[in-house]
């Protein structure tokens, strides 16, 4: 990605579209102050920038870099993020109601205590992300990597879970009751006090789970192949 370092102008702000620039906190504050409307950014560089506590409600970011950026306690409701690399960015305590993330690399990001009600993540990478204590009513994920993510106590009840990879994720206390897994998997996930009553796991990868975990799946539906795999952990072959 190539960027210029020109200062974003007020005319850009009035047009609502800023492209190909490296944006500092001071520039962002100026743009917000000068524009009465949500702004759009394309191919802009926010890497390592402190954007904490700024009001960016309704903004749109396309192909923008947020690696190591701080968005702590920022107002980001109804924002759109398309193809944005944001590894290790800090969204702690941010307001992200109705936000949309699509095809974004958000590995090892921090979302602790963020408000993510009705937010959605589609085709994203969230490996190692921390969602501790988030407000998540209506939050949805699809076709997304959640490998090693901290999702403790999150509810997925009655959801259709499309290609979600929960491998090695901490799902302790999560609620998957009556959820339907459409691909994806739970390989080696941490499942302490997790609930699967009525869940349909037939299309999920449940490799690495031990038969000692079987009681967690009471009332869930699994396939014959999955049952054979669980029994195989005890050295029992299903013929």
């Amino acid at each position: 990605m190539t960027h210029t370092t020109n200062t974003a102008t007020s005319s850009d702000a009035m047009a609502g579209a800023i492209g190909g620039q490296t944006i500092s906190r001071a520039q962002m504050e100026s743009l917000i102050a000068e524009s009465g409307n949500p702004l759009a950014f394309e191919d802009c560089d926010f890497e390592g920038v402190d954007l904490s506590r700024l009001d960016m409600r309704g903004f749109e970011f396309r192909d923008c870099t947020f690696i190591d950026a701080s968005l702590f306690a920022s107002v980001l409701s109804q924002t759109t993020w398309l193809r944005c690399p944001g590894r290790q960015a800090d969204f702690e305590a941010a307001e992200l109601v109705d936000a949309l993330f699509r095809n974004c690399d958000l590995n090892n990001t921090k979302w602790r205590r963020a408000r993510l009600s009705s937010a959605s993540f589609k085709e994203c990478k969230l490996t190692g992300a921390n969602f501790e204590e988030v407000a998540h009513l209506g939050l949805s994920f699809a076709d997304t990597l959640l490998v090693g993510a901290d999702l403790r106590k999150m509810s997925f009840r009655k959801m259709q879970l499309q290609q979600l990879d929960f491998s090695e994720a901490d799902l302790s206390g999560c609620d998957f009751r009556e959820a339907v897994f459409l691909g994806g998997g739970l390989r080696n996930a941490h499942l302490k006090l997790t609930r699967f009553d009525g869940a349909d796991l037939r299309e999920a990868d449940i490799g690495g789970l031990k038969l000692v975990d079987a009681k967690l799946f009471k009332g869930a539906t699994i396939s014959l192949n999955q049952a054979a795999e669980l029994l195989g952990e005890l050295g029992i072959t299903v013929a």
Side-chain angles (χ1 to χ4, degrees), residues 61 121 133 172 189 195:
F61 302 98
F121 294 86
E133 298 180 7
S172 302
R195 300 189 65 180

Coordinates of all heavy atoms in Angstrom, one line a residue, residues 61 121 133 172 189 195:
F61 N -14.5 2.9 6.2 CA -13.1 2.7 5.9 C -12.9 1.6 4.9 O -13.4 0.5 5.2 CB -12.4 2.4 7.2 CG -12.5 3.4 8.3 CD1 -13.4 3.2 9.3 CD2 -11.7 4.6 8.3 CE1 -13.6 4.2 10.3 CE2 -11.9 5.5 9.3 CZ -12.8 5.3 10.3
F121 N -19.3 -9.5 11.7 CA -18.0 -9.8 11.1 C -18.2 -10.8 10.1 O -18.6 -11.9 10.4 CB -17.0 -10.3 12.2 CG -16.7 -9.3 13.3 CD1 -17.5 -9.2 14.4 CD2 -15.5 -8.5 13.2 CE1 -17.2 -8.3 15.4 CE2 -15.2 -7.6 14.2 CZ -16.1 -7.5 15.3
E133 N -15.9 -9.7 28.2 CA -16.9 -8.8 28.8 C -17.5 -7.9 27.7 O -18.0 -6.7 28.1 CB -16.3 -8.0 29.9 CG -15.8 -8.9 31.1 CD -15.2 -8.1 32.2 OE1 -15.3 -6.8 32.1 OE2 -14.7 -8.7 33.1
S172 N -15.3 -21.1 27.2 CA -15.8 -21.4 28.6 C -17.1 -20.6 28.9 O -17.1 -19.4 28.7 CB -14.8 -21.1 29.6 OG -13.6 -21.8 29.4
A189 N -10.9 -26.8 21.3 CA -11.5 -25.6 22.0 C -11.6 -25.9 23.5 O -11.8 -27.1 23.9 CB -12.8 -25.2 21.4
R195 N -22.5 -24.9 26.9 CA -23.7 -25.7 26.7 C -24.0 -25.9 25.3 O -24.0 -25.0 24.4 CB -24.9 -24.9 27.4 CG -24.7 -24.7 28.9 CD -25.9 -24.1 29.6 NE -27.0 -25.0 29.5 CZ -28.2 -24.7 30.0 NH1 -28.4 -23.6 30.6 NH2 -29.2 -25.6 29.9

